[in-house]
Amino acid sequence: MSQSGVSVTPECVSSFNELKLGKGVIKYIIYKLSDDKKEVVVEETSQEADWDVFREKLINAKATDKRGNEGPGPRYAVYDFHYELESGEGKRSKITFIAWSPDNAGIQAKMVYASSKDALKRSLNGIAVELQANDEDDIEYGEILKVISRGGR
């Protein structure tokens, strides 16, 4: 359980383990807080390898505040990132955890996501790189590649 009292559902861990086994079945997982803000749940798993499709899902994520107003929403994501070494020595793969908390998201949503992140991360064994992303530029393919290829922030 996290500082915020949020727990992680078993599906979060089982989906991650499926991605980690690398059978190509899952390329990425997007996690969100349940509507009652008490659990981290799997919002979506996908086999889609196109980074831009994944990026758009994060950018278009929505959250609802206490008054029922919908706006941009934070998310957690795990992406099985494959890349070529600049030296030409082959390909690498790193399981990457992304905490997406757009600057224009509601303050309450950002606070709950920030205080719940560690509960999810502790449940997911095998993350190679962790990133905090707050605007669209932070999740451009080139920016992510720079961070991943040097081992994370």
Side-chain angles (χ1 to χ4, degrees):
M1 193 167 295
S2 69
Q3 292 175 342
S4 63
V6 170
S7 62
V8 176
T9 63
E11 182 189 10
C12 292
V13 177
S14 63
S15 294
F16 176 78
N17 288 336
E18 197 174 328
L19 177 144
K20 185 171 72 170
L21 289 174
K23 305 268 190 255
V25 176
I26 297 177
K27 182 68 176 171
Y28 66 81
I29 306 164
I30 298 176
Y31 302 95
K32 69 173 193 164
L33 290 176
S34 59
D35 292 339
D36 64 5
K37 311 284 190 269
K38 293 186 179 181
E39 293 181 311
V40 177
V41 299
V42 172
E43 180 175 45
E44 177 181 353
T45 63
S46 180
Q47 298 176 355
E48 175 63 59
D50 185 334
W51 176 263
D52 290 328
V53 170
F54 166 73
R55 182 177 175 273
E56 285 301 312
K57 299 239 182 212
L58 292 181
I59 291 168
N60 294 317
K62 300 291 181 204
T64 306
D65 66 17
K66 285 183 177 178
R67 288 172 271 167
N69 299 321
E70 188 176 77
R75 291 294 186 272
Y76 310 114
V78 173
Y79 192 92
D80 188 7
F81 200 95
H82 294 263
Y83 62 99
E84 300 257 351
L85 293 175
E86 285 184 21
S87 61
E89 295 176 11
K91 296 181 180 185
R92 293 290 186 268
S93 168
K94 289 192 179 173
I95 296 176
T96 306
F97 181 90
I98 300 169
W100 170 247
S101 187
D103 288 331
N104 59 345
I107 189 74
Q108 182 189 16
K110 291 196 294 189
M111 287 174 52
V112 173
Y113 271 82
S115 63
S116 304
K117 178 177 77 171
D118 285 340
L120 178 60
K121 276 186 30 202
R122 278 194 308 270
S123 301
L124 308 178
N125 297 314
I127 293 170
V129 178
E130 176 189 346
L131 302 163
Q132 175 67 46
N134 301 96
D135 70 35
E136 294 181 22
D137 292 342
D138 292 343
I139 53 175
E140 287 286 348
Y141 182 86
E143 290 300 310
I144 299 292
L145 180 59
K146 278 190 237 175
V147 173
I148 288 174
S149 62
R150 69 173 186 256
R153 287 185 195 174

